[in-house]
Amino acid sequence: MLHNWLKIYLHQIKKNKFFTALNILGLSIGIAGLIFSILYWNDEHSYNEWNPEKDSVFQVVNDQPRSGFLAYNVMPLGAQLKQISPEVEDYCNFNPGYNGALIEYKGKRELVKKILKSEENFFSFFHFQFTKGSAKTALKEKNNVAISEETAQLLFGNNEAVGQALKIGEMNCVVGGVYKITGKSSVAPAVVIREEFEENIKKNADNWGSHTVFLIVKLKNPEAKGIVEKQINQIYIEKQAKRIAKEKGISTESYIKNFGLDVPYLESLKTARLHSKVQNGYPEGSGNYELLLIMLGLSVLILVLSIVNYINLATANAIKRAKEVGVRKIIGASKPQIVWQFIFETVITTAFSVLFALVIVELLLPYYNNFLGKELIMNGGQFYIQLILVFIITVVFAGIFPSIYISNFEALKVLKGNFGRSKNGVWLRNGMLILQFAIASFFITGSYIVFQQVDHMTSKDLGFKGNQVLDISFNEVKKPSDFEMIRNELLKIKGVQEVSAGNFSFGYGGYFTTVFDYQDKDVEVENMSMEFGLLDLMNIKMAEGRKLSKNYASDTINSVLINKAAAKMMDEKNPIGKEFNFKDDGENPGIRRLKIVGVVEDFNVYGPQKEIPPMIFYHLKTISESSFLSRLYIKISPDNMEETIALIENFWITKIDTKYPFAYDFVDKNFARTYESYVYQRNLFSLLNIVVILIALFGLFALASYSIQTRMKEIAIRKTLGAETKKLLSTLTKQYVMYCIIGFLLALFPVYLLLEKWLENFAYRIEISLLPFVIGFFSLMILTLLIVLSKAYQATKVDVLQYLKYE
């Protein structure tokens, strides 16, 4: 029986090559889209799954009154919490993010970027597998480091690593162990250096306002999370609120009511990757859960569209096989046998589609990985199980309706040439066509809204001009006194127009924030320490007052600038000349009295999707916390740029930094990376939009072919009675116009709701107007009419005698 079914199937392929190709292509595209989403989903959900401590380890984050959720904590918190809380088994402080450093071993130098500084018990929270040494002893001594297998191979080759002496930056270290990470981890360093926090904790025992470290805690019972959060809150009241309230001369309750208090929140390691409340959490970053859901949702929609398209193509082709079914029934085939025959054909078609989909994924996977910044591969038992489930689901939904529909043909009627359609079948097919129109409307309208928003971001006036400006980071921190020498030497290079410096990045903001009191208001600002001339170099305008200048001695002592956002937070209409107290926690701690001499126009220091924060600008020498030089900005001429950069590089590696390779970026390109994920989303939506339109047109073509084919006798009679071609075209197309309108109306609410939700990610966003909906509707209507009218016009040109000769 199977052999017979296979022969019939191959015969049908030969007779209907075009329909078969459309079937396989449509399903392949839908399945390939879902495979891409599955790979992304699996990768993101695999983070920390290997870690046996994932349920009991929590990161302490804080919902701050002005800054929102931040992962930074005060140094004494961990020790204080362990002392008062029986629910806390252990805690560990580690530095935020990774550091890069040059590692030297017996004359060999390697630049390693993922270096983490942590307390010695780090490996009791992250159970990396040690291949040399052990987790308990790897960081036992104060100068110990643990390194990954990749780093060990890089430095030592196949030689023994444990016990070897290294120089990391300016630190002399001894390797205490070699580890490998067996799965995706939120912390995946190449080197872990033991950091001594005890001295700093003692030094900052009373400093509960400076958030500088990450803190993770291990709970004896994960269910005690809420209890521990309340205990941390009580610590904040005792150590923060009471002290500051006393300084302000008000009650603790009044301080909390008027100024707010950090609200602690414990984030589980298990969910931190995709559901973190902070953007600056673990060093490996957070996953984009919204993008993950968008991609999964869109891929499911495309697969649904592909299945609907398959069903429409199958039912459109069914009329050609009606007599085959009639003959099979006459010679004794039962209805279940016919159902299973057509399901069998769907199984083969779907199998081919899955194989073709895997080919598509394999070819496009490098581009997909580049889009996501990942290294996804089609591998693993979980993936193959999911692929089998996709295959089964596709077969069930794509195969059952066409097989039942075809098996319901009445043998005598179809053998006489009467292909009467049941009303249920007509309504179901029309419903599927309306669904196709709705999905296509969703993509066309949605992609235009996404395009408008991304265009709005990319064309927004940022408040600065970063083209032809090099952004160079110092690998070894320099003193402000080094700046003039560096600047003077660089200005001697042909093509260098201007040089300045600043301890902040265009695109990623300042290095720290400060809260100062102004007329009984807490004002939190981004600290933007800089050298003279940086505002001019970046073409940043002043709103009022003057810029900082070397002509004023006070400009390295107590003069500062603020931006308009800071003036607004201060609620000060005339800020020039106003003074305030500013706490300096640096080498010379104390309270400084600062004076505002100018107001800077607001400019985007973060990506254009984020609000411009309040900022304070001062010279590098003004505040001791900023008395270092970390970033250099060089404006170069557009002529002979490559030659100019080559000369800068030569100067840099011979006079400034002889150890590290020269690295630079253009400010405008670096800034563009802050919103490139949204540009990728726009491009992805546009690509999927084309795919959806093509699949929808396949289905529309199939259903129009089917519908018109079943009405050929009616058309022949109308032509015989004198109906004009114009009237026939109107009759044949009006139902599709109506279905297009209904499908578009069904898509209106979902597309508005979901895109409005998406737009909430942006501080500077468009308002959804009527234009995308008008464009979406007319685009879909024009495509519909092109397909339907072309088929209808062919139908009006047929020989009427061919359909009336038996009447």
Side-chain angles (χ1 to χ4, degrees), residues 733-800:
T733 58
K734 64 181 180 181
Q735 63 172 329
Y736 294 100
V737 172
M738 183 59 64
Y739 297 154
C740 180
I741 294 172
I742 295 171
F744 178 78
L745 292 175
L746 286 176
L748 282 179
F749 180 72
V751 74
Y752 180 84
L753 183 68
L754 293 174
L755 268 297
E756 185 68 26
K757 182 72 175 175
W758 182 75
L759 287 170
E760 290 177 3
N761 291 311
F762 306 94
Y764 304 96
R765 48 157 289 182
I766 62 168
E767 294 299 326
I768 298 178
S769 63
L770 285 175
L771 182 61
F773 297 96
V774 171
I775 290 177
F777 174 75
F778 280 103
S779 298
L780 189 62
M781 184 62 72
I782 290 170
L783 291 171
T784 300
L785 290 175
L786 284 175
I787 294 293
V788 177
L789 283 174
S790 64
K791 292 300 298 181
Y793 185 76
Q794 291 177 12
T796 62
K797 298 303 179 183
V798 298
D799 181 7
V800 297

Side-chain angles (χ1 to χ4, degrees), residues 70-197:
L70 292 175
Y72 298 93
N73 286 274
V74 293
M75 282 191 181
L77 179 60
Q80 182 76 21
L81 183 61
K82 177 71 182 299
Q83 185 178 343
I84 69 166
S85 178
E87 287 81 14
V88 175
E89 180 181 332
D90 201 1
Y91 72 92
C92 179
N93 289 305
F94 59 94
N95 282 359
Y98 299 125
N99 294 315
L102 200 67
I103 300 181
E104 299 180 60
Y105 172 70
K106 292 184 178 180
K108 186 177 184 179
R109 293 178 175 180
E110 296 290 346
L111 178 61
V112 178
K113 296 182 178 181
K114 296 175 69 172
I115 298 175
L116 185 74
K117 294 182 178 181
S118 173
E119 292 185 301
E120 62 177 300
N121 60 342
F122 173 81
F123 294 111
S124 67
F125 292 83
F126 293 90
H127 288 248
F128 299 161
Q129 182 180 334
F130 273 77
T131 55
K132 298 290 177 64
S134 72
K136 292 182 179 180
T137 60
L139 300 178
K140 185 177 180 180
E141 303 299 329
K142 290 186 177 182
N143 64 340
N144 274 159
V145 296
I147 62 177
S148 67
E149 282 190 329
E150 293 77 11
T151 306
Q153 183 65 35
L154 184 69
L155 296 171
F156 306 108
N158 296 323
N159 298 324
E160 179 62 40
V162 175
Q164 297 295 333
L166 297 174
K167 187 174 183 181
I168 303 179
E170 298 301 319
M171 297 174 56
N172 293 313
C173 307
V174 176
V175 178
V178 179
Y179 60 82
K180 67 177 180 179
I181 306 173
T182 55
K184 296 281 184 176
S185 177
S186 290
V187 184
V191 176
V192 180
I193 299 176
R194 175 172 169 173
E195 178 82 349
E196 296 301 320
F197 285 93

Side-chain angles (χ1 to χ4, degrees), residues 700-701 704-705 707-709 711-712 715 719 724-736 784-798:
L700 179 62
F701 174 83
S705 302
S707 178
I708 292 171
Q709 185 67 29
R711 298 180 66 180
M712 288 307 299
I715 293 169
K719 286 191 68 174
E724 296 180 353
T725 299
K726 182 179 179 181
K727 180 67 175 177
L728 288 173
L729 291 176
S730 174
T731 301
L732 293 171
T733 58
K734 64 181 180 181
Q735 63 172 329
Y736 294 100
T784 300
L785 290 175
L786 284 175
I787 294 293
V788 177
L789 283 174
S790 64
K791 292 300 298 181
Y793 185 76
Q794 291 177 12
T796 62
K797 298 303 179 183
V798 298

Side-chain angles (χ1 to χ4, degrees), residues 511-552:
Y511 295 163
F512 54 93
T513 62
T514 300
V515 178
F516 64 84
D517 178 72
Y518 183 77
Q519 297 182 353
D520 296 326
K521 289 186 290 291
D522 273 0
V523 181
E524 184 171 13
V525 290
E526 295 252 359
N527 290 28
M528 318 296 277
S529 55
M530 62 182 187
E531 267 292 345
F532 298 123
L534 182 58
L535 298 184
D536 286 332
L537 185 147
M538 297 303 301
N539 202 24
I540 297 170
K541 307 298 183 184
M542 296 294 295
E544 56 181 305
R546 66 174 178 84
K547 299 172 183 175
L548 298 179
S549 169
K550 63 176 64 177
N551 297 326
Y552 297 88

Side-chain angles (χ1 to χ4, degrees), residues 662-679:
F662 177 69
Y664 71 93
D665 206 347
F666 285 97
V667 169
D668 54 345
K669 292 182 179 179
N670 186 46
F671 191 85
R673 294 190 187 97
T674 63
Y675 57 87
E676 67 179 353
S677 65
Y678 294 105
V679 176

Side-chain angles (χ1 to χ4, degrees), residues 161-305:
V162 175
Q164 297 295 333
L166 297 174
K167 187 174 183 181
I168 303 179
E170 298 301 319
M171 297 174 56
N172 293 313
C173 307
V174 176
V175 178
V178 179
Y179 60 82
K180 67 177 180 179
I181 306 173
T182 55
K184 296 281 184 176
S185 177
S186 290
V187 184
V191 176
V192 180
I193 299 176
R194 175 172 169 173
E195 178 82 349
E196 296 301 320
F197 285 93
E198 290 84 354
E199 184 177 338
N200 282 330
I201 289 174
K202 290 177 182 178
K203 181 180 177 182
N204 292 276
D206 297 323
N207 185 358
W208 286 81
S210 180
H211 296 70
T212 57
V213 296
F214 285 175
L215 173 64
I216 49 178
V217 296
K218 187 188 299 183
L219 303 187
K220 296 174 183 176
N221 178 13
E223 300 299 322
K225 169 179 174 288
I227 297 173
V228 177
E229 287 172 346
K230 291 178 181 178
Q231 292 168 340
I232 298 174
N233 189 66
Q234 192 59 40
I235 293 174
Y236 286 161
I237 292 173
E238 293 292 326
K239 299 294 185 178
Q240 286 183 347
K242 284 187 177 181
R243 178 181 60 81
I244 301 175
K246 185 177 180 181
E247 292 175 358
K248 291 180 177 289
I250 59 177
S251 68
T252 303
E253 293 74 17
S254 296
Y255 172 79
I256 295 173
K257 180 180 178 181
N258 295 326
F259 297 97
L261 185 71
D262 288 2
V263 178
Y265 180 78
L266 297 186
E267 284 193 343
S268 171
L269 180 62
K270 184 176 182 179
T271 60
R273 175 68 183 179
L274 288 174
H275 303 284
S276 177
K277 293 182 179 292
V278 295
Q279 295 298 316
N280 58 343
Y282 288 105
E284 292 295 320
S286 299
N288 192 333
Y289 190 60
E290 182 185 70
L291 177 61
L292 182 61
L293 290 180
I294 287 173
M295 293 187 65
L296 186 63
L298 295 182
S299 63
V300 169
L301 271 181
I302 292 176
L303 182 59
V304 169
L305 190 67

